[in-house]
Amino acid sequence: MSDRQQQLERLRDELKERLERYQAHRQRAGGPVDKDMEDQPLQTRDDEVVASLEAEAEEELSQVRHALARIREGQGDICERCGEVIDAGRLGAVPYATLCRECSTA
């Protein structure tokens, strides 16, 4: 197993744990908000922040899973768009990258 695959698997596991925490927060905060509660605006804002973080984690997890599938297929360092090798520096910075730098900005 490559270092990159191990890194992606650790990131996948971390993202899954993070999503579980966000979902647990939603379940705890899922009840009705007390209308007399002074903290209602804070609770609402906190819930919105957690929902945003959860959406970001879900998107990143999807990208990690896709990158892991490409590694298993032997295509992990090949750009999905142009077919060129993805620079090792890019993969080091963004281990779940599936596009080379040029294609990612096009």
Side-chain angles (χ1 to χ4, degrees), residues 27-80:
Q27 289 174 349
R28 285 191 307 273
V33 177
D34 184 353
K35 291 182 182 181
D36 296 329
M37 194 168 85
E38 291 179 11
D39 293 336
Q40 181 179 359
L42 289 174
Q43 180 179 349
T44 300
R45 188 170 39 239
D46 286 351
D47 292 346
E48 290 170 355
V49 168
V50 169
S52 176
L53 292 171
E54 184 176 8
E56 288 176 15
E58 286 173 346
E59 175 61 28
E60 188 173 359
L61 179 59
S62 175
Q63 292 174 0
V64 167
R65 286 179 172 153
H66 181 68
L68 283 168
R70 288 183 46 80
I71 288 171
R72 284 190 295 274
E73 295 165 1
Q75 299 294 313
D77 61 348
I78 305 298
C79 177
E80 287 184 309

Side-chain angles (χ1 to χ4, degrees), residues 8 15 24 34 41 46 51 54 62 65 69 82 90 94 97 101 104:
L8 285 168
L15 288 165
D34 184 353
D46 286 351
E54 184 176 8
S62 175
R65 286 179 172 153
C82 71
R90 176 162 170 74
V94 186
R101 183 168 292 138
S104 71

